[in-house]
Amino acid sequence: MRRPTGGSPVGRLASGSTHPALVPDRHFPDKLPVLPLQDVVAFPQLSMPLVVGRTGSLAAVQQAWDGDRLLILATQRESEGEQVRPGDLYRVGVVAELQHAARLPNGTIRILVDALDVVRLTRVATAKTGGLRAAFEVRSLAPLTTTSEEAARAVRLADTFEEYAGLQRRIPPEVVQVATSTNDHVRAAWIIAGHLAIRTPQRQRLLECATLAELQDGLIALMEAEIEILGLDRRIDDEVRGTIHRSQREYYLQEQLRVIHRELGQDDGEELDDLQAQLAARTMPDAARARAERELRRLRRMPTVSPEATVSRNYLDWILALPWSERSDEILDVQRARTILDEDHFGLDDVKDRILDHVAVLAGGGGREGQLLCLVGPPGVGKTSLGRSIARAMGRRFVRMSLGGVRDEAEIRGHRRTYIGSLPGRILQAMRKVQVVNPLILLDEIDKLGHDYRGDPAAALLEVLDPEQNAAFNDHYLELDYDLSQVFFLTTANTVATIPEPLRDRMEIVRLPGYLDQEKYAIARRFLLPKQCARQGIDPSTLTLAPGVIPAIVRSYTREAGVRDLERQLARLTRKVARRRAEAPIPSPVDTIDVTDLRPMLGVPPHDPDDHTLDDQVGVATGLAWTGTGGEVLDIEVAALPGRGRLHLTGALGDVMKESAGAALSFTRSRAHSLGIDPGFVRVTDLHVHIPAGATPKDGPSAGIAITTALVSALTRRPIRADVAMTGEVTLRGRVLPIGGLKEKSVAALRAARTTVVIPAANARELDELPAEVKAGLTFRAVRTMDEVLELALAPLVHPAAQQGAHTP
């Protein structure tokens, strides 16, 4: 049985056809046996051999042979399955006449049928003999009266079929001759349809065409799509053959050229001589020089067109391009370095002191081994730009490598030369870029390294960043020891939690807390506003901001630890000023922006500076949290409701915070008598703990004392002082354990206008590291137990009529 091959699918055949006229060429019985076909479609006016082997099909053939030798050929929708149900068949097939049948040794029957007319199956049922029988109506395509349009369509169909047959190469020439020379357009169309190498659904759609015009249009569309694919295949084949012949020709000519050069005494080649001269002029370790000379000798013996020659040449280029001994002159002046750092960045005293210490050590002749600092802080505080300032202050060349999303170890160590297109890793690429052995390399976003089946780049960085190992860093591509000990490595991260412990152990962590509001005001006036004025083509001297404008932008239009969003708002403001000047008939020489101008120019403020209330409330405590973008203030709310002692936690809390709430409740129950709470409250009271905003995930143990304070307040009806913020982990016995992120949390408390911060006593040693503005604006109370926390946080009991807070039963 011939099985059609796949072709280019046709999305839609010609529409607008009418119902075909019935042409009773001969009389057929009302019902005929049905022979299901697998992966083949029969077309009228064509003969086709078939092999029949299924039980139902054998019964249909036997019934037709015993009768008038007529049967219906209908294609199955799915080709699998031994049993065929009436619903498995397409409803349009052909009526055919059985011409010949012969039984084969394996029990199957080979038959030859002549397809006569297209029929539509109106009712299909299973016969008593096991096969299928169907009632039908004839849907033959009748040839219409010949017109100029129909003649043109027939000519186009014949031409397209000739072009298709020329590319297909599987259609016999006599078939093309018959299809293109006959005057019967219907017969020509069915002949062409029967010889197209297309898929079964496409063939079935052709069989179901209602008019001759629709059939011809469908055939033309299918063949044109196939011609495009076949033509592309042939062009690709010709190009491949041409490339092979061209490569052989070039190799032959190159060999002739080599012989000619040898006869003329020019066999060395100027290019290889240049490489030899560069190698002799470079200062490099003996191992690298020996390896380069060996590669150069191999390259001289290789044919120029050999792929291996290209690999060797690229390898030599990399050896000669890397800096082996070249250094930049460092400027070891502490005062100059301090001036540059202060010019570029406001604040950041800790990291500036660390850099100045290092410059002083270098000026004294020490500290020449590799150095590694990790700047950790929220986005927008200036970690990346600080790297450039440090390089400028030290007189070193600067190169930045972004590690965010790097997943492949080869990005760090490079690929071995056995791979096509292999290159050294990004470390050596950076060294080639700066051309000195003592640059400052900034490894940005080191906390966002990934890893998968290709390796762990964080593990590859261990050798790069370890001062005890990086003097002999070995790249997979170079396969030579390369000295990185004179490089100043500076890394940045938003959090150390995602940095692997072995990698974190090799770095000196310098934390950059979020900017205070006063620092943001100074940064905006000294750096950001002049920068944005220059970008918008505005002379900074012609733009004046009222004293309250920048504070209003910081409080109402931004909420961040850094200044990135603040810079965007200032950029928007300067663009509005530039537009106002462009639209004004006579531009004002000086523009003055007042606070009242912010809403028309920047829109509705997205933040309310007064969204954290400063009123004492029952069951509402102020907690402090640390996030990747800095510190945050959390309002922890507790409501006591009539119930059965259930604890309900909401606000997208993590497992650790849920455990803190459970520990807080257990402590409160254990101390109920001393706190003035009815011990039986657990049987009649439900407690609901909620921490806004509900869509933001929250986790960690540092909210323990705040949750406990809110629980006690809700049960005793004593308000909590709104000016007190607190952070600390609580135990079942009421001990207050230390927390992290004190700098960031303190800055958040000051930004939220709190005056007192309750911290664990173990964190009191960190107070000296806080910015002076924070220590001046806040009062820190170090505590060891929850009794001290409650004494500081709870206000005296007020009359119930004046209370505003959670309901208690």
Side-chain angles (χ1 to χ4, degrees):
M1 182 185 299
R2 185 173 63 86
R3 300 172 66 92
T5 59
S8 177
V10 177
R12 177 177 176 271
L13 295 178
S15 62
S17 59
T18 59
H19 190 78
L22 300 180
V23 182
D25 293 336
R26 59 179 294 179
H27 178 71
F28 300 120
D30 294 335
K31 294 183 180 180
L32 287 175
V34 179
L35 177 60
L37 302 181
Q38 292 178 304
D39 294 331
V40 67
V41 177
F43 291 100
Q45 305 189 26
L46 294 178
S47 299
M48 60 187 309
L50 299 171
V51 176
V52 181
R54 291 184 293 187
T55 304
S57 299
L58 291 173
V61 171
Q62 187 64 46
Q63 185 179 357
W65 187 263
D66 294 339
D68 52 6
R69 299 193 179 186
L70 294 176
L71 72 168
I72 296 174
L73 304 180
T75 304
Q76 295 178 216
R77 299 181 184 275
E78 302 291 340
S79 60
E80 293 80 14
E82 176 68 20
Q83 298 295 328
V84 182
R85 298 186 300 271
D88 296 337
L89 301 176
Y90 286 104
R91 288 300 175 177
V92 177
V94 296
V95 61
E97 185 175 12
L98 188 60
Q99 299 293 343
H100 177 73
R103 188 172 297 278
L104 301 179
N106 59 0
T108 61
I109 296 177
R110 181 187 297 275
I111 64 175
L112 179 66
V113 295
D114 288 342
L116 303 176
D117 282 312
V118 180
V119 296
R120 180 180 179 277
L121 308 185
T122 58
R123 187 172 63 257
V124 183
T126 303
K128 295 180 179 180
T129 57
L132 298 177
R133 288 182 63 85
F136 60 94
E137 63 180 13
V138 180
R139 299 180 71 243
S140 300
L141 292 178
L144 304 178
T145 303
T146 302
T147 63
S148 57
E149 181 181 356
E150 186 173 337
R153 183 183 283 109
V155 171
R156 183 184 174 193
L157 177 62
D159 294 340
T160 306
F161 183 59
E162 284 188 68
E163 183 180 0
Y164 172 82
L167 292 173
Q168 180 60 247
R169 300 178 182 175
R170 297 179 182 177
I171 301 177
E174 54 269 24
V175 173
V176 179
Q177 177 66 25
V178 172
T180 56
S181 61
T182 182
N183 294 325
D184 187 347
H185 297 164
V186 175
R187 182 165 182 260
W190 288 131
I191 291 175
I192 293 174
H195 289 84
L196 293 186
I198 54 178
R199 291 178 294 181
T200 300
Q202 295 172 311
R203 300 170 70 89
Q204 182 65 31
R205 285 200 295 270
L206 291 177
L207 184 64
E208 294 175 359
C209 286
T211 65
L212 176 58
E214 183 181 355
L215 175 60
Q216 290 173 329
D217 291 343
L219 289 170
I220 291 172
L222 285 170
M223 287 190 291
E224 286 178 347
E226 289 293 312
I227 286 170
E228 183 177 354
I229 295 175
L230 294 172
L232 180 61
D233 290 342
R234 176 165 291 188
R235 286 197 300 272
I236 293 174
D237 183 68
D238 293 340
E239 288 176 4
V240 171
R241 292 178 182 273
T243 301
I244 295 173
H245 296 324
R246 186 164 57 252
S247 299
Q248 293 174 344
R249 179 174 175 272
E250 289 176 356
Y251 177 77
Y252 177 72
L253 293 176
Q254 288 287 349
E255 289 300 315
Q256 284 187 327
L257 189 60
R258 287 174 63 89
V259 173
I260 294 173
H261 284 168
R262 187 164 55 247
E263 293 295 330
L264 295 175
Q266 302 175 353
D267 190 34
D268 293 337
E270 296 181 0
E271 190 175 3
L272 298 182
D273 290 341
D274 290 342
L275 291 176
Q276 184 70 54
Q278 294 178 34
L279 184 59
R282 293 296 305 275
T283 301
M284 61 179 62
D286 294 338
R289 183 177 301 278
R291 183 64 177 271
E293 290 176 347
R294 185 166 68 251
E295 285 294 328
L296 185 57
R297 289 194 297 269
R298 291 182 65 237
L299 183 59
R300 291 184 183 277
R301 295 193 297 267
M302 292 180 188
T304 308
V305 297
S306 171
E308 191 67 24
T310 303
V311 175
S312 295
R313 174 58 197 270
N314 291 339
Y315 182 73
L316 284 172
D317 286 343
W318 270 100
I319 291 181
L320 294 173
L322 285 172
W324 295 95
S325 58
E326 294 79 6
R327 294 176 51 87
S328 60
D329 295 331
E330 294 180 308
I331 304 175
L332 305 177
D333 186 340
V334 177
Q335 292 302 324
R336 176 182 177 275
R338 183 191 300 275
T339 302
I340 291 176
L341 292 176
D342 289 340
E343 286 177 355
D344 294 345
H345 291 81
F346 186 86
L348 305 180
D349 294 331
D350 289 346
V351 64
K352 289 180 180 178
D353 288 342
R354 176 63 182 85
I355 297 304
L356 294 176
D357 292 345
H358 179 66
V359 173
V361 171
L362 291 177
R368 293 291 174 180
E369 70 280 356
Q371 304 85 29
L372 176 59
L373 295 181
C374 181
L375 307 181
V376 179
V381 297
K383 300 183 295 298
T384 303
S385 60
L386 186 60
R388 287 191 175 87
S389 299
I390 294 173
R392 189 161 73 92
M394 299 176 62
R396 295 198 179 202
R397 297 185 185 179
F398 174 80
V399 62
R400 172 181 171 272
M401 289 174 47
S402 178
L403 299 180
V406 173
R407 295 180 151 311
D408 191 353
E409 178 205 6
E411 292 277 350
I412 307 299
R413 288 188 175 275
H415 296 85
R416 300 193 184 275
R417 285 192 293 156
T418 53
Y419 298 103
I420 297 175
S422 57
L423 286 172
R426 298 174 67 175
I427 299 296
L428 290 191
Q429 292 181 33
M431 297 301 294
R432 178 177 180 173
K433 182 178 180 180
V434 294
Q435 286 295 299
V436 291
V437 296
N438 63 333
L440 186 149
I441 296 181
L442 177 68
L443 303 177
D444 211 4
E445 310 291 355
I446 197 171
D447 58 326
K448 296 175 181 61
L449 283 170
H451 62 88
D452 56 18
Y453 65 93
R454 293 169 292 186
D456 186 357
L461 281 175
L462 295 178
E463 182 184 1
V464 175
L465 301 180
D466 191 344
E468 301 297 329
Q469 302 180 42
N470 61 11
F473 172 67
N474 195 284
D475 187 273
H476 288 161
Y477 179 87
L478 203 64
E479 294 181 332
L480 291 170
D481 290 341
Y482 190 83
D483 187 4
L484 296 174
S485 61
Q486 300 181 59
V487 178
F488 191 110
F489 286 105
L490 186 68
T491 66
T492 69
N494 296 129
T495 175
V496 297
T498 55
I499 303 176
E501 181 62 32
L503 187 59
R504 187 165 65 242
D505 183 62
R506 287 162 169 78
M507 299 186 295
E508 178 180 348
I509 305 297
V510 179
R511 297 188 179 274
L512 280 69
Y515 289 115
L516 302 175
D517 286 351
Q518 296 298 328
E519 292 176 327
K520 290 183 180 181
Y521 305 158
I523 292 171
R525 291 191 178 276
R526 291 175 52 183
F527 300 101
L528 302 182
L529 185 60
K531 176 182 176 182
Q532 292 303 323
C533 286
R535 285 187 176 180
Q536 316 306 334
I538 299 174
D539 184 356
S541 62
T542 64
L543 178 62
T544 302
L545 300 185
V549 170
I550 292 180
I553 294 176
V554 170
R555 293 181 184 137
S556 300
Y557 289 89
T558 67
R559 181 157 293 179
E560 56 177 347
V563 294
R564 193 165 288 153
D565 199 18
L566 175 59
E567 183 175 10
R568 281 192 287 267
Q569 296 299 332
L570 291 175
R572 186 177 179 184
L573 183 69
T574 53
R575 286 195 299 269
K576 294 293 185 181
V577 172
R579 177 182 172 184
R580 187 165 67 181
R581 290 183 177 183
E583 294 176 345
I586 302 177
S588 174
V590 177
D591 284 293
T592 301
I593 305 299
D594 201 352
V595 176
T596 57
D597 298 324
L598 293 181
R599 183 180 289 264
M601 302 180 79
L602 300 182
V604 178
H607 306 292
D608 181 5
D610 301 323
D611 58 351
H612 292 288
T613 179
L614 293 178
D615 298 331
D616 297 351
Q617 297 186 67
V618 173
V620 180
T622 302
L624 298 174
W626 179 90
T627 68
T629 59
E632 291 289 342
V633 172
L634 298 177
D635 288 334
I636 299 175
E637 304 174 349
V638 174
L641 308 168
R644 300 180 181 179
R646 292 178 300 178
L647 177 63
H648 189 39
L649 305 174
T650 57
L653 309 185
D655 292 338
V656 177
M657 186 168 283
K658 291 178 180 179
E659 293 173 357
S660 294
L665 178 59
S666 297
F667 166 79
T668 304
R669 293 177 59 188
S670 67
R671 301 291 300 277
H673 280 293
S674 61
L675 294 174
I677 303 172
D678 182 5
F681 79 91
V682 70
R683 294 189 297 271
V684 296
T685 305
D686 286 348
L687 295 172
H688 185 169
V689 179
H690 178 68
I691 303 180
T696 304
K698 311 167 191 70
D699 205 358
S702 64
I705 64 173
I707 296 175
T708 306
T709 303
L711 283 172
V712 173
S713 171
L715 293 170
T716 62
R717 308 299 297 160
R718 292 181 61 184
I720 300 175
R721 291 173 52 190
D723 62 334
V724 175
M726 59 193 76
T727 179
E729 181 180 355
V730 69
T731 68
L732 293 176
R733 300 188 178 186
R735 293 173 54 220
V736 180
L737 302 184
I739 46 82
L742 181 60
K743 278 186 181 181
E744 292 80 0
K745 294 177 179 179
S746 302
V747 171
L750 182 62
R751 190 182 300 124
R754 297 314 191 256
T755 59
T756 303
V757 178
V758 179
I759 63 173
N763 290 105
R765 58 181 180 271
E766 302 177 28
L767 294 178
D768 293 337
E769 301 179 1
L770 297 181
E773 294 86 347
V774 175
K775 290 188 289 186
L778 296 174
T779 300
F780 291 91
R781 306 298 296 270
V783 297
R784 297 183 182 276
T785 65
M786 271 305 304
D787 293 332
E788 300 175 65
V789 176
L790 296 175
E791 182 179 353
L792 292 169
L794 294 179
L797 184 65
V798 298
H799 191 274
Q803 293 177 359
Q804 294 181 359
H807 171 73
T808 187

